[in-house]
Amino acid sequence: MAHESSMERRPRGSKLVTPYPHHIPGYGGYCPQFKYHYASPFGSITHKLLSNPSEATAHSDQPLLRETCPPDDAPDVGTAAQWEDSRVIQMRERAGDEKLLDPVIPGYQGFVPKRENHHFGRTNAQVCQSSIADFQRDQQRHRSRLHSLVSHTMTQPALPGHHRRHTAPPYVSRDAPPPTMSPMKMREADPLKHFKAGYAGFVPKWRNNEFANTFQTGTINAVSDFNRQQLTQELWRGASVDIATVTPRTPLAKGQGTTIYPARTGMVPHYTGHVPGEKFKFGEPYGTSTANRLPPIVT
């Protein structure tokens, strides 16, 4: 009777919601005898079929749906294990950790350590709580063992003829590759002074050396040109300049400047500047239609 009363109850504080158990609208699974009922809401029909054995076929005494609300006579506290997990997780919050706290927001797609050990037959919130608590316990055991090991090591007598060091020197493997250095800082004679094929970053002076060269040869020449230019600028940066010896530039007379529109030939294809009268030309190649574009000078 207690089970039936708990299944017939409605959510606390609401008298308009269909009582449990029932399927939510949109449920696409199988519900026995559903096709023979009509003229009632989906939730009411499924509640009647799930709760009244006379309306449906024989079924198990164990309800198919999980109760989303605790029974009325159930205490408002969790199990001892859940309370212990919550207490362990609260230690992370007191330590200043802003991630992996309790409760985990539903739909969280980030990494939860040790989740693969707790994901059977439980909700997402319970799985995350147990996983995070288990991970926190492992961290506490690791710190405790590390502290014990350090304390035991410091209490041991020093070996004769050796000075005790508080910190161990950094380990450097003999087979470790040399530290990487940018080709911009390598010596000119270094055979590795080039960028690897496939490098998509910026290479100074690359545009002046990319034609008819491999990527390795082109980057070697580009980096060398850039370093020589930087060296020249450094040498000139500290040099003194006598303004009296600087020859002023003679201004060009009218008509001696750079010619934009050639008089006898047309413009180069793909020229993106303005060509007078070009929009009224058609049926001719670009070079022919842009020849002699300057208007005649009337004197």
Side-chain angles (χ1 to χ4, degrees):
M1 296 298 293
H3 175 71
E4 293 180 358
S5 62
S6 63
M7 298 298 291
E8 293 290 343
R9 75 187 187 286
R10 299 175 184 270
R12 298 176 182 176
S14 175
K15 297 182 180 180
L16 302 178
V17 182
T18 305
Y20 295 97
H22 68 273
H23 290 301
I24 61 174
Y27 171 73
Y30 175 71
C31 186
Q33 305 296 324
F34 175 77
K35 62 181 180 179
Y36 302 111
H37 293 74
Y38 53 89
S40 294
F42 182 82
S44 300
I45 295 177
T46 55
H47 167 70
K48 183 185 299 182
L49 295 175
L50 292 173
S51 59
N52 191 353
S54 62
E55 296 289 342
T57 58
H59 56 81
S60 174
D61 295 335
Q62 182 69 23
L64 176 64
L65 303 180
R66 175 183 177 86
E67 298 186 22
T68 56
C69 298
D72 296 334
D73 55 350
D76 294 333
V77 296
T79 61
Q82 293 177 349
W83 275 104
E84 178 64 20
D85 292 344
S86 179
R87 186 190 65 81
V88 173
I89 296 175
Q90 289 177 1
M91 299 177 62
R92 300 179 58 88
E93 184 175 3
R94 289 195 295 268
D97 196 345
E98 299 180 356
K99 294 183 178 181
L100 303 179
L101 302 179
D102 187 36
V104 176
I105 300 176
Y108 174 69
Q109 299 295 330
F111 174 72
V112 178
K114 292 185 173 294
R115 178 168 182 160
E116 63 277 3
N117 302 333
H118 302 273
H119 67 277
F120 293 106
R122 310 176 71 182
T123 62
N124 180 71
Q126 293 175 346
V127 169
C128 294
Q129 184 185 48
S130 301
S131 303
I132 298 172
D134 193 9
F135 174 73
Q136 180 65 17
R137 293 188 185 95
D138 285 351
Q139 295 295 312
Q140 293 176 358
R141 285 193 294 268
H142 173 73
R143 286 192 291 266
S144 177
R145 293 176 182 177
L146 180 62
H147 179 72
S148 301
L149 179 61
V150 172
S151 301
H152 177 73
T153 304
M154 298 301 295
T155 55
Q156 296 297 318
L159 297 177
H162 295 271
H163 178 69
R164 181 187 297 275
R165 300 185 56 167
H166 295 282
T167 58
Y171 172 76
V172 179
S173 175
R174 298 180 180 178
D175 300 331
T180 57
M181 181 184 298
S182 173
M184 307 294 297
K185 300 180 181 180
M186 294 182 180
R187 303 187 309 272
E188 291 293 335
D190 197 327
L192 299 178
K193 190 178 177 62
H194 62 83
F195 291 92
K196 302 295 183 182
Y199 174 73
F202 175 71
V203 180
K205 300 292 183 179
W206 164 246
R207 292 296 183 183
N208 302 335
N209 298 273
E210 65 175 332
F211 298 103
N213 286 324
T214 62
F215 186 80
Q216 177 177 343
T217 305
T219 53
I220 292 176
N221 299 335
V223 173
S224 299
D225 293 348
F226 178 75
N227 290 340
R228 284 193 294 269
Q229 181 181 5
Q230 293 294 106
L231 181 60
T232 303
Q233 292 180 358
E234 290 293 333
L235 295 176
W236 282 98
R237 183 173 300 174
S240 58
V241 180
D242 188 2
I243 301 179
T245 60
V246 178
T247 303
R249 177 180 297 181
T250 303
L252 298 176
K254 184 177 182 181
Q256 295 182 355
T258 303
T259 302
I260 299 179
Y261 305 107
R264 298 183 179 180
T265 61
M267 306 300 295
V268 179
H270 301 290
Y271 172 71
T272 58
H274 173 67
V275 179
E278 175 60 21
K279 64 179 180 179
F280 304 107
K281 295 288 184 176
F282 56 90
E284 294 180 344
Y286 186 78
T288 305
S289 64
T290 56
N292 299 324
R293 287 292 89 200
L294 288 178
I297 300 176
V298 180
T299 58

